[in-house]
Amino acid sequence: MIDGETLVRSAAGLERRDAELLLAAAAGWTRTQWIARSRDAVPADVARRFTELVARRAAGEPVAYLLGTREFWSLEFEVTPAVLVPRPETELLVERALAQVTSANARVADLGTGSGAIAISIAHERPSWCVVATDVSGAALEVARRNGMRLVGGRVDWRPTAGGWFAPLAGERFDAIVSNPPYISADDAALGGDGLRHEPRGALTPGGDGFDALATLINVGPEHLVSGGWLLLEHGHAQGERTRAALVARGFTHVTSLRDLAGHERVSEARWPSP
Ligand code: SAM
Ligand code: GLN
C-alpha cells in the first residue's frame, strides 16, 4: 500500500499545501491529522478519491470548491461554485472599514456579498454594529446566510437585490458602504483561465470594460451614506486612477487608494463630506 507522503508527491503540478489539503479531504482528516499520519498507508478508496480531486484541480477547479471551504480573515467560510472564492487581498477592505468607522453603533452595508466574507468578518470584529449585505444571486445569499449563522449567529441582515445595486437599501443611510463588485472587463482572457472559468461570471465581470458596477457604486453611493460616511471599493489593479477620478468628480473627499500585498492598487476609499 502507498503512504500519504508518496501520494502527495505524486500530485505533480499541484502546490504541496493544496495536495495535502486534498488528501486530508479525501481521507476525512484535518490537516493536523494528516501531518501525524503522513507515513501511514492510505486505504485504496482514499487514494482513489485523492486522485480524482487532483485531476479536477489539474483541470482548473479551484481548490476551495473541491474542499468546500476557504479561510478568510481567519474564519472558515463554506464556498460552493455559486460564490466567488474569497481572496486574501479583499481582507484589505475589511481592514479599512474597521479603521475608518469609529462609531460604536455603526451601520455598514456590504454590496455583492457572495459567500458573505466581508460582511461576516466585519460583524465578527464589531458585535455592536448593524451589518446589511446584499447579492443579486439568490444561490450566493443562501451560502452567505449559512456562513453567517455559523460564524456570527445570524447577526447579518441578508437582502436579495432584485433591480439595481441599491434597491434593497431604499431610504437608508450607512456609516460605510463596502463592496468588492465584479470589475473584470468582459473581453479579458483571464475569465477563461485557471480557476476563474469555474467561478460565477456575474461575480467577475459586469460586462463592457469592467467599470459599470464601480461607476454605479460611486454615483449612487452618496444617496445612502451619512455625511462623513465612507465608501470603500475593491477594483482591478489598473482601475485605481479611474476610480479615484470618479470619486473626486462625484464630490467625495479623502480619496485614497491602497495597495495589496502584491503591490497593486486594489482598494480605494473616500469620504462623503460633512456639511
Ligand atoms: N464580496 C464577495 C467577496 O469579496 O468575496 C463576493 C464578491 S464578487 C467579486 C461580486 C458579487 O457581486 C457576486 O456575488 C455577484 O453575484 C454580486 N453582484 C453582481 N451584480 C450585483 C448587483 N447588481 N447587486 C448586488 N450584487 C451583485
Ligand atoms: N480579484 C478577482 C480576480 O481578479 C476578481 C474579483 C472581482 O471581479 N471583483 O481574480
Side-chain angles (χ1 to χ4, degrees):
M1 263 210 270
I2 194 164
D3 66 85
E5 177 62 27
T6 308
L7 263 183
V8 162
R9 285 184 191 209
S10 74
L14 229 73
E15 281 177 33
R16 187 184 164 87
R17 185 187 152 78
D18 287 347
E20 288 177 0
L21 288 169
L22 292 180
L23 179 58
W29 299 331
T30 64
R31 192 152 181 273
T32 324
Q33 285 172 323
W34 142 252
I35 290 164
R37 296 177 191 185
S38 63
R39 292 292 175 187
D40 292 1
V42 172
D45 59 325
V46 171
R48 198 170 47 246
R49 276 201 296 278
F50 173 70
T51 310
E52 281 165 17
L53 290 172
V54 169
R56 286 171 61 188
R57 175 65 200 109
E61 280 186 66
V63 171
Y65 289 162
L66 298 174
L67 300 174
T69 62
R70 170 62 105 221
E71 188 179 304
F72 179 88
W73 201 259
S74 300
L75 300 170
E76 189 171 86
F77 286 83
E78 172 192 341
V79 296
T80 74
V83 302
L84 184 95
V85 177
R87 310 285 206 266
E89 56 269 29
T90 303
E91 293 183 350
L92 190 52
L93 269 184
V94 175
E95 210 176 291
R96 295 311 300 166
L98 296 175
Q100 293 295 18
V101 179
T102 51
S103 146
N105 299 309
R107 287 168 46 75
V108 174
D110 170 23
L111 303 192
T113 196
S115 62
I118 300 170
I120 290 168
S121 301
I122 290 175
H124 190 264
E125 292 297 318
R126 298 283 187 269
S128 64
W129 287 9
C130 163
V131 182
V132 172
T134 73
D135 209 287
V136 74
S137 157
L141 272 188
E142 281 177 32
V143 175
R145 205 183 292 275
R146 282 199 295 275
N147 279 322
M149 201 50 83
R150 190 167 40 79
L151 295 168
V152 291
R155 238 174 352 86
V156 174
D157 180 357
W158 307 106
R159 300 188 189 171
T161 307
W165 282 91
F166 289 93
L169 309 184
E172 291 178 65
R173 290 186 185 267
F174 294 83
D175 297 282
I177 294 172
V178 182
S179 182
N180 171 19
Y183 54 66
I184 299 175
S185 139
D187 64 3
D188 191 325
L191 290 171
D194 185 52
L196 265 61
R197 71 173 181 277
H198 293 273
E199 295 185 280
R201 206 179 160 79
L204 294 167
T205 177
D209 68 359
F211 202 76
D212 286 9
L214 287 162
T216 301
L217 291 163
I218 292 167
N219 288 329
V220 187
E223 294 172 25
H224 299 278
L225 284 171
V226 300
S227 52
W230 289 87
L231 180 62
L232 302 111
L233 300 170
E234 181 172 323
H235 49 69
H237 62 87
Q239 290 169 322
E241 194 177 330
R242 187 169 174 190
T243 302
R244 288 191 300 279
L247 287 164
V248 170
R250 182 65 179 87
F252 281 91
T253 63
H254 300 72
V255 176
T256 311
S257 297
L258 297 121
R259 291 179 190 273
D260 61 20
L261 291 174
H264 297 129
E265 284 184 341
R266 182 61 63 186
V267 162
S268 290
E269 62 185 32
R271 192 166 200 205
W272 190 241
S274 314

